[in-house]
């Protein structure tokens, strides 16, 4: 993190202990993928790095009816799509893996049609359509079909493994994997798509005010962040300070393959203050101090305004993560019901102790970011 010398790094710390018998961290708002329903004969789908897919889907019961409706939505825009298995299902959406001819595809269907979630998948559809005309400097899945009205998207399934399976990995990925992921993010951040292709998904002033009203930011935090925003806006009058970002550059959204890294899940892509993707990576690499130091150096290399943008982003990202996991801990304290049939094994879900350990680390990180923000304000 930035100290008075404007150097951002985190002191090395031992790996967080894992309670016996517990599973890895999982995104509390993104439940673990449900296992393949039905025990069909395994069928290998063409493509390097892909795994055998089960040939049956369980279409019985209320969840089966929901799945049938999702498949019908996919068939309206992609009749040749043959569903094979459920990749992920939550209360908001379902991801299906299937085939389109000799290729493998992933279909995403929104189940929660509330305006906020509908807007997110429509934003993702618009991003994939833009990539057809303007190719980014990183590999992305090819768009096959999309229907913004019914919130349905079909893209090719890219081979590779995720740089991390969890939002906050219990153990840091290898340095090679981190270097590959960071390189892809930096190449993307240097890209400047044509004007008007993407918008600015985040209203910084409104987000800061909202977190302050919720008690997540102190009065001094509010004043310091507003001062940095004012200074960045003044710099932007002389030079463009916007940076194109993925908007959700988690390691779990970066696939690694011999052909190069692939970025997926473009729901939040657009123009941000410099360093939003770097702040996201910094926030989830709690057990990789060397990588954090490198990220901090990259953030500083473009000058004070870029550094300040990174710090504003980092405070907002860490505050969001704290709020998300505090809500998850509260839910876990009031919900001790066993998992429903067909859901992932309970040991795959994060225990309350794991979430508390993560929260402790996030609060420590936020204190580090807070000190860096105050140091940066002092240089203004």
């Amino acid at each position: 993190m930035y100290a008075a010398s404007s150097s951002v790094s985190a002191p090395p710390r031992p790996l967080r202990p894992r309670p016996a018998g517990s599973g890895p961290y999982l995104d509390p708002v993104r439940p673990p993928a449900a296992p393949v329903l039905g025990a069909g004969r395994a069928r290998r789908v063409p493509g390097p790095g892909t795994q055998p897919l089960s040939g049956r889907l369980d279409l019985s019961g209320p969840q089966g009816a929901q799945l049938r409706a999702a498949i019908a939505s996919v068939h309206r825009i992609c009749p040749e799509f043959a569903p094979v298995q459920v990749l992920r299902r939550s209360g908001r959406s379902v991801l299906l893996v299937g085939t389109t001819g000799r290729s493998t595809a992933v279909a995403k269907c929104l189940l929660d049609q509330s305006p906020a979630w509908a807007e997110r998948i429509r934003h993702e559809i618009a991003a994939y359509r833009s990539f057809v005309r303007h190719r980014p400097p990183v590999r992305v899945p090819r768009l096959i079909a999309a229907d913004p009205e019914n919130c349905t998207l079909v893209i090719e399934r890219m081979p590779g493994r995720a740089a991390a399976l969890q939002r906050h990995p219990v153990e840091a990925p290898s340095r090679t994997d981190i270097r590959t992921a960071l390189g892809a993010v930096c190449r993307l951040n240097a890209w400047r798509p044509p004007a008007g292709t993407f918008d600015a998904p985040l209203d910084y002033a409104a987000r800061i005010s909202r977190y302050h009203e919720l008690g997540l930011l102190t009065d001094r935090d509010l004043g310091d962040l507003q001062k940095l925003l004012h200074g960045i806006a003044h710099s932007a009058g002389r030079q463009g300070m916007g940076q194109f970002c993925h908007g959700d550059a988690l390691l779990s959204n970066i696939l690694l393959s011999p052909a190069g890294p692939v970025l997926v899940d473009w729901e939040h892509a657009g123009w941000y203050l410099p360093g939003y993707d770097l702040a996201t990576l910094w926030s989830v690499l709690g057990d990789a101090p060397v990588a954090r130091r490198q990220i901090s150096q990259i953030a500083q290399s473009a000058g004070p305004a870029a550094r300040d943008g990174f710090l504003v982003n980092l405070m907002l990202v860490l505050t969001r993560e704290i709020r998300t996991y505090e809500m998850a801990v509260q839910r876990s304290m009031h919900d001790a019901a066993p998992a429903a049939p067909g859901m992932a094994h309970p040991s795959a879900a994060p225990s309350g102790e794991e979430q508390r350990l993560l929260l402790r680390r996030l609060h420590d990180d936020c204190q580090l970011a807070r000190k860096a923000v105050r140091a940066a304000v002092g240089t203004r």
Side-chain angles (χ1 to χ4, degrees), residues 34-350:
V36 178
L37 304 176
R41 183 167 58 90
R43 176 161 57 116
R44 184 169 296 278
V45 178
T50 56
Q51 299 297 319
L53 301 178
S54 168
R56 286 183 56 190
L57 291 171
D58 186 353
L59 301 178
S60 61
Q63 288 192 341
Q66 197 176 58
L67 199 56
R68 288 195 299 272
I71 294 172
S73 295
V74 176
H75 282 163
R76 279 195 289 271
I77 61 173
C78 188
E80 66 274 20
F81 180 81
V84 177
Q85 78 176 49
V86 175
L87 182 63
R88 189 177 73 219
R89 172 189 272 162
S90 70
R92 296 193 303 268
S93 63
V94 59
L95 264 64
L96 298 166
V97 180
T99 59
T100 54
R102 295 185 178 181
S103 302
T104 315
V106 175
K108 182 176 184 179
C109 304
L110 193 65
L111 304 177
D112 180 355
Q113 294 287 339
S114 60
W117 295 113
E119 180 59 29
R120 285 177 59 169
I121 193 170
R122 287 168 185 159
H123 185 91
E124 185 173 18
I125 290 172
Y128 278 112
R129 285 179 169 173
S130 297
F131 295 153
V132 174
R133 301 186 299 272
H134 310 289
R135 296 185 62 180
V138 295
R139 298 179 69 221
V140 299
R142 176 177 58 88
L143 176 65
I144 296 176
D147 182 359
E149 293 303 317
N150 288 324
C151 300
T152 304
L153 171 67
V154 184
I155 58 176
E156 70 172 320
R157 188 191 190 199
M158 302 292 284
R161 59 180 176 84
L165 295 178
Q166 300 85 31
R167 186 182 189 91
H168 291 267
V170 176
E171 297 182 5
S174 70
R175 290 190 179 185
T176 300
D177 287 354
I178 293 175
R179 184 168 58 249
T180 301
L182 181 57
V185 167
C186 288
R187 289 196 302 275
L188 179 70
N189 294 159
W191 184 48
R192 300 195 67 85
T197 307
F198 291 91
D199 57 11
L202 178 58
D203 184 332
Y204 281 89
R207 180 67 59 86
I208 291 170
S209 296
R210 180 187 174 203
Y211 284 166
H212 178 253
E213 291 170 359
L214 292 172
L216 300 170
L217 295 175
T218 66
D219 291 345
R220 181 167 181 180
D221 291 335
L222 176 65
D224 287 346
L225 292 174
Q226 288 176 337
K227 288 177 183 176
L228 291 186
L229 282 181
H230 178 76
I232 294 168
H234 180 70
S235 299
R238 301 190 307 269
Q239 58 186 48
M241 288 303 301
Q243 184 181 71
F244 182 77
C245 293
H246 177 277
D248 197 21
L250 303 168
L251 293 169
S252 54
N253 285 335
I254 302 175
L255 305 181
L256 305 177
S257 75
V262 182
L263 270 64
V264 298
D265 285 352
W266 293 85
E267 295 177 351
H268 304 282
W271 294 96
Y272 292 80
L273 292 182
Y276 190 88
D277 285 345
L278 292 177
T280 300
L281 281 175
W282 195 99
S283 72
V284 300
L285 288 171
D287 290 318
V290 174
R292 280 188 161 185
R293 194 172 300 115
Q294 183 182 4
I295 290 170
S296 300
Q297 291 169 351
I298 294 172
Q300 294 181 77
S301 63
R307 174 205 64 187
D308 293 352
F310 170 74
L311 289 176
V312 171
N313 286 320
L314 190 57
M315 278 294 293
L316 293 184
V317 168
L318 289 171
T319 302
R320 179 198 65 202
E321 295 297 293
I322 289 172
R323 181 174 183 241
T324 299
Y325 280 89
E326 282 182 342
M327 293 172 65
V329 168
Q330 291 173 4
R331 286 196 301 268
S332 67
M333 293 174 62
H334 294 88
D335 185 10
M343 295 303 291
H345 191 276
S347 65

